[in-house]
Amino acid sequence: MKVKRGVSARRQTHVHEFLGSTKLAEQGADRHNHRFAGVTGQVIPVGNSHVHEIDLTRTDFLNHFHKLKKIRTGPAIPVGNGKHVHFVTGTTTLNDGHKHRFNFATLIQKPLV
């Protein structure tokens, strides 16, 4: 197999799009949350299933950012027709003196295929 320069010889698997909002943090007038969206990394085999890594540089802006760094999804959850999603739970990085918890499900892989 001929590989173009700079292109990995590793087989491409699949990724998932995701979007979500953090839980509220802080109190009073400072109480807020953040929104985020992105695409997971490729498949990481785990037992009879797989997970994906999420490495999001920043959430939306509200005078500060938070990162979702090296977060791993849960295993695949079948949703029918050979498709699946993943559940994700975690905590953002610390910024502006606080963190945010979050949980969400990824979108299905290859939605039009």
Side-chain angles (χ1 to χ4, degrees):
M1 177 173 129
K2 190 172 185 177
V3 177
K4 291 182 181 180
R5 190 175 185 169
V7 175
S8 172
R10 197 175 142 210
R11 185 174 84 79
Q12 181 176 338
T13 55
H14 70 270
V15 297
H16 295 262
E17 297 168 285
F18 63 87
L19 59 128
S21 296
T22 65
K23 305 272 186 197
L24 292 168
E26 299 195 292
Q27 299 297 319
D30 289 335
R31 194 159 173 84
H32 69 281
N33 70 334
H34 295 266
R35 294 178 300 169
F36 52 87
V39 177
T40 69
Q42 295 287 324
V43 167
I44 301 168
V46 174
N48 293 330
S49 188
H50 67 278
V51 298
H52 297 267
E53 188 169 280
I54 292 173
D55 197 358
L56 187 64
T57 303
R58 52 178 56 123
T59 59
D60 70 334
F61 181 73
L62 180 67
N63 80 4
H64 65 279
F65 296 105
H66 293 278
K67 298 178 183 180
L68 280 66
K69 297 293 289 176
K70 299 204 183 284
I71 303 293
R72 290 244 171 132
T73 69
I77 301 168
V79 294
N81 295 327
K83 302 287 185 176
H84 68 273
V85 297
H86 297 265
F87 190 68
V88 185
T89 186
T91 305
T92 66
T93 55
L94 176 69
N95 196 348
D96 196 33
H98 66 276
K99 296 179 180 182
H100 295 266
R101 295 181 50 77
F102 58 83
N103 54 44
F104 62 91
T106 65
L107 303 179
I108 61 172
Q109 84 285 11
K110 303 176 189 171
L112 300 177
V113 181

Short mmCIF file of all heavy atoms in Angstrom, two decimals, residues 48-76:
data_model
loop_
_atom_site.label_atom_id
_atom_site.label_comp_id
_atom_site.label_asym_id
_atom_site.label_seq_id
_atom_site.Cartn_x
_atom_site.Cartn_y
_atom_site.Cartn_z
N ASN A 48 -14.95 -5.45 24.29
CA ASN A 48 -15.77 -5.75 23.12
C ASN A 48 -16.38 -4.51 22.50
O ASN A 48 -17.27 -4.62 21.65
CB ASN A 48 -16.89 -6.72 23.51
CG ASN A 48 -16.35 -8.08 23.88
OD1 ASN A 48 -15.31 -8.50 23.38
ND2 ASN A 48 -17.03 -8.76 24.77
N SER A 49 -15.97 -3.34 22.92
CA SER A 49 -16.54 -2.09 22.42
C SER A 49 -15.40 -1.12 22.08
O SER A 49 -14.30 -1.55 21.72
CB SER A 49 -17.47 -1.48 23.49
OG SER A 49 -18.17 -0.37 22.97
N HIS A 50 -15.68 0.15 22.19
CA HIS A 50 -14.66 1.17 21.96
C HIS A 50 -15.11 2.47 22.60
O HIS A 50 -16.28 2.63 22.97
CB HIS A 50 -14.43 1.38 20.45
CG HIS A 50 -15.61 1.98 19.75
ND1 HIS A 50 -16.69 1.23 19.33
CD2 HIS A 50 -15.90 3.27 19.44
CE1 HIS A 50 -17.58 2.04 18.76
NE2 HIS A 50 -17.14 3.28 18.82
N VAL A 51 -14.17 3.37 22.76
CA VAL A 51 -14.44 4.72 23.27
C VAL A 51 -13.78 5.71 22.32
O VAL A 51 -13.09 5.32 21.38
CB VAL A 51 -13.91 4.90 24.71
CG1 VAL A 51 -14.59 3.95 25.67
CG2 VAL A 51 -12.40 4.74 24.77
N HIS A 52 -13.98 6.99 22.58
CA HIS A 52 -13.34 8.07 21.82
C HIS A 52 -12.80 9.09 22.80
O HIS A 52 -13.34 9.25 23.89
CB HIS A 52 -14.36 8.77 20.91
CG HIS A 52 -14.95 7.90 19.87
ND1 HIS A 52 -14.44 7.78 18.60
CD2 HIS A 52 -16.04 7.08 19.92
CE1 HIS A 52 -15.19 6.94 17.91
NE2 HIS A 52 -16.17 6.50 18.69
N GLU A 53 -11.76 9.80 22.42
CA GLU A 53 -11.22 10.88 23.25
C GLU A 53 -11.74 12.21 22.76
O GLU A 53 -11.88 12.43 21.55
CB GLU A 53 -9.70 10.87 23.24
CG GLU A 53 -9.11 11.85 24.23
CD GLU A 53 -7.62 11.67 24.42
OE1 GLU A 53 -7.23 10.76 25.17
OE2 GLU A 53 -6.86 12.46 23.82
N ILE A 54 -12.05 13.08 23.70
CA ILE A 54 -12.46 14.46 23.40
C ILE A 54 -11.40 15.38 23.95
O ILE A 54 -11.04 15.29 25.13
CB ILE A 54 -13.84 14.77 24.02
CG1 ILE A 54 -14.90 13.93 23.32
CG2 ILE A 54 -14.14 16.26 23.94
CD1 ILE A 54 -16.28 14.03 23.94
N ASP A 55 -10.89 16.25 23.12
CA ASP A 55 -9.86 17.20 23.53
C ASP A 55 -10.26 18.55 22.95
O ASP A 55 -9.84 18.93 21.87
CB ASP A 55 -8.50 16.76 23.00
CG ASP A 55 -7.35 17.44 23.70
OD1 ASP A 55 -7.60 18.31 24.57
OD2 ASP A 55 -6.19 17.13 23.37
N LEU A 56 -11.13 19.25 23.67
CA LEU A 56 -11.70 20.51 23.20
C LEU A 56 -10.94 21.67 23.82
O LEU A 56 -10.84 21.76 25.05
CB LEU A 56 -13.18 20.57 23.56
CG LEU A 56 -13.98 21.72 23.01
CD1 LEU A 56 -14.04 21.68 21.49
CD2 LEU A 56 -15.39 21.68 23.57
N THR A 57 -10.41 22.54 23.01
CA THR A 57 -9.59 23.64 23.49
C THR A 57 -10.36 24.63 24.35
O THR A 57 -9.87 25.09 25.36
CB THR A 57 -8.96 24.39 22.29
OG1 THR A 57 -8.21 23.45 21.53
CG2 THR A 57 -8.06 25.50 22.77
N ARG A 58 -11.60 24.96 23.96
CA ARG A 58 -12.33 25.92 24.78
C ARG A 58 -13.83 25.85 24.56
O ARG A 58 -14.29 25.46 23.51
CB ARG A 58 -11.83 27.34 24.57
CG ARG A 58 -11.77 27.80 23.14
CD ARG A 58 -11.30 29.23 23.02
NE ARG A 58 -10.04 29.48 23.64
CZ ARG A 58 -8.99 29.98 23.03
NH1 ARG A 58 -9.03 30.28 21.77
NH2 ARG A 58 -7.89 30.19 23.68
N THR A 59 -14.53 26.26 25.59
CA THR A 59 -15.98 26.41 25.53
C THR A 59 -16.29 27.80 24.99
O THR A 59 -15.38 28.57 24.69
CB THR A 59 -16.59 26.27 26.94
OG1 THR A 59 -16.01 27.26 27.79
CG2 THR A 59 -16.34 24.88 27.50
N ASP A 60 -17.58 28.14 24.87
CA ASP A 60 -17.92 29.49 24.43
C ASP A 60 -17.40 30.51 25.44
O ASP A 60 -16.97 30.17 26.53
CB ASP A 60 -19.43 29.64 24.20
CG ASP A 60 -20.24 29.62 25.48
OD1 ASP A 60 -19.78 29.03 26.46
OD2 ASP A 60 -21.32 30.20 25.49
N PHE A 61 -17.44 31.77 25.09
CA PHE A 61 -16.80 32.83 25.86
C PHE A 61 -17.78 33.55 26.77
O PHE A 61 -18.85 33.94 26.37
CB PHE A 61 -16.19 33.83 24.88
CG PHE A 61 -15.49 34.96 25.54
CD1 PHE A 61 -14.26 34.76 26.16
CD2 PHE A 61 -16.04 36.22 25.57
CE1 PHE A 61 -13.60 35.80 26.77
CE2 PHE A 61 -15.39 37.27 26.19
CZ PHE A 61 -14.17 37.06 26.79
N LEU A 62 -17.42 33.69 28.03
CA LEU A 62 -18.17 34.52 28.99
C LEU A 62 -17.11 35.11 29.92
O LEU A 62 -16.99 34.73 31.06
CB LEU A 62 -19.17 33.67 29.78
CG LEU A 62 -20.00 34.43 30.80
CD1 LEU A 62 -20.95 35.41 30.11
CD2 LEU A 62 -20.78 33.47 31.67
N ASN A 63 -16.29 35.97 29.38
CA ASN A 63 -15.11 36.60 29.99
C ASN A 63 -14.06 35.59 30.46
O ASN A 63 -13.10 35.96 31.11
CB ASN A 63 -15.48 37.61 31.08
CG ASN A 63 -15.83 37.02 32.44
OD1 ASN A 63 -15.74 35.81 32.66
ND2 ASN A 63 -16.24 37.87 33.34
N HIS A 64 -14.24 34.31 30.15
CA HIS A 64 -13.24 33.27 30.39
C HIS A 64 -13.65 32.01 29.62
O HIS A 64 -14.78 31.87 29.20
CB HIS A 64 -13.11 32.96 31.89
CG HIS A 64 -14.34 32.37 32.48
ND1 HIS A 64 -15.41 33.12 32.88
CD2 HIS A 64 -14.68 31.07 32.73
CE1 HIS A 64 -16.35 32.34 33.36
NE2 HIS A 64 -15.95 31.08 33.27
N PHE A 65 -12.67 31.12 29.42
CA PHE A 65 -12.88 29.85 28.72
C PHE A 65 -12.64 28.69 29.68
O PHE A 65 -11.94 28.82 30.67
CB PHE A 65 -11.89 29.68 27.57
CG PHE A 65 -12.04 30.67 26.47
CD1 PHE A 65 -11.13 31.70 26.31
CD2 PHE A 65 -13.07 30.55 25.55
CE1 PHE A 65 -11.26 32.61 25.27
CE2 PHE A 65 -13.20 31.45 24.51
CZ PHE A 65 -12.29 32.48 24.38
N HIS A 66 -13.18 27.55 29.35
CA HIS A 66 -12.85 26.29 30.01
C HIS A 66 -12.50 25.29 28.91
O HIS A 66 -12.98 25.40 27.79
CB HIS A 66 -14.03 25.73 30.81
CG HIS A 66 -14.41 26.56 31.98
ND1 HIS A 66 -13.75 26.49 33.19
CD2 HIS A 66 -15.37 27.50 32.12
CE1 HIS A 66 -14.30 27.34 34.03
NE2 HIS A 66 -15.28 27.96 33.42
N LYS A 67 -11.68 24.31 29.24
CA LYS A 67 -11.30 23.26 28.31
C LYS A 67 -11.90 21.93 28.75
O LYS A 67 -12.11 21.71 29.93
CB LYS A 67 -9.78 23.13 28.23
CG LYS A 67 -9.09 24.38 27.73
CD LYS A 67 -7.60 24.21 27.73
CE LYS A 67 -6.94 25.52 27.29
NZ LYS A 67 -5.48 25.40 27.27
N LEU A 68 -12.17 21.08 27.77
CA LEU A 68 -12.53 19.68 28.02
C LEU A 68 -11.32 18.89 27.54
O LEU A 68 -11.18 18.62 26.35
CB LEU A 68 -13.78 19.28 27.25
CG LEU A 68 -15.14 19.70 27.82
CD1 LEU A 68 -15.33 21.19 27.82
CD2 LEU A 68 -16.25 19.04 27.06
N LYS A 69 -10.40 18.59 28.44
CA LYS A 69 -9.12 17.99 28.07
C LYS A 69 -9.08 16.51 28.38
O LYS A 69 -9.37 16.09 29.49
CB LYS A 69 -7.97 18.67 28.82
CG LYS A 69 -7.79 20.14 28.50
CD LYS A 69 -7.35 20.40 27.10
CE LYS A 69 -5.93 19.98 26.89
NZ LYS A 69 -5.46 20.13 25.53
N LYS A 70 -8.70 15.72 27.37
CA LYS A 70 -8.49 14.28 27.51
C LYS A 70 -9.65 13.58 28.21
O LYS A 70 -9.47 12.77 29.10
CB LYS A 70 -7.17 14.01 28.20
CG LYS A 70 -5.98 14.56 27.42
CD LYS A 70 -4.71 13.85 27.74
CE LYS A 70 -3.54 14.46 27.01
NZ LYS A 70 -3.46 14.13 25.63
N ILE A 71 -10.86 13.93 27.80
CA ILE A 71 -12.07 13.30 28.29
C ILE A 71 -12.33 12.06 27.43
O ILE A 71 -12.23 12.12 26.21
CB ILE A 71 -13.27 14.27 28.19
CG1 ILE A 71 -13.00 15.57 28.95
CG2 ILE A 71 -14.55 13.59 28.63
CD1 ILE A 71 -12.90 15.43 30.44
N ARG A 72 -12.68 10.95 28.04
CA ARG A 72 -13.02 9.73 27.28
C ARG A 72 -14.52 9.50 27.35
O ARG A 72 -15.13 9.63 28.41
CB ARG A 72 -12.28 8.53 27.86
CG ARG A 72 -10.79 8.59 27.57
CD ARG A 72 -10.38 7.46 26.68
NE ARG A 72 -9.01 7.63 26.23
CZ ARG A 72 -8.11 6.68 26.27
NH1 ARG A 72 -8.42 5.50 26.77
NH2 ARG A 72 -6.91 6.88 25.80
N THR A 73 -15.09 9.12 26.21
CA THR A 73 -16.50 8.75 26.19
C THR A 73 -16.68 7.40 26.87
O THR A 73 -15.71 6.68 27.11
CB THR A 73 -17.03 8.60 24.75
OG1 THR A 73 -16.43 7.44 24.15
CG2 THR A 73 -16.75 9.84 23.91
N GLY A 74 -17.92 7.04 27.16
CA GLY A 74 -18.22 5.69 27.59
C GLY A 74 -18.24 4.78 26.37
O GLY A 74 -18.04 5.23 25.22
N PRO A 75 -18.49 3.49 26.56
CA PRO A 75 -18.54 2.55 25.44
C PRO A 75 -19.74 2.84 24.53
O PRO A 75 -20.66 3.58 24.90
CB PRO A 75 -18.68 1.18 26.11
CG PRO A 75 -19.17 1.47 27.48
CD PRO A 75 -18.71 2.84 27.85
N ALA A 76 -19.74 2.23 23.36
CA ALA A 76 -20.82 2.42 22.38
C ALA A 76 -22.16 1.96 22.94
O ALA A 76 -22.24 0.92 23.60
CB ALA A 76 -20.49 1.63 21.10
#
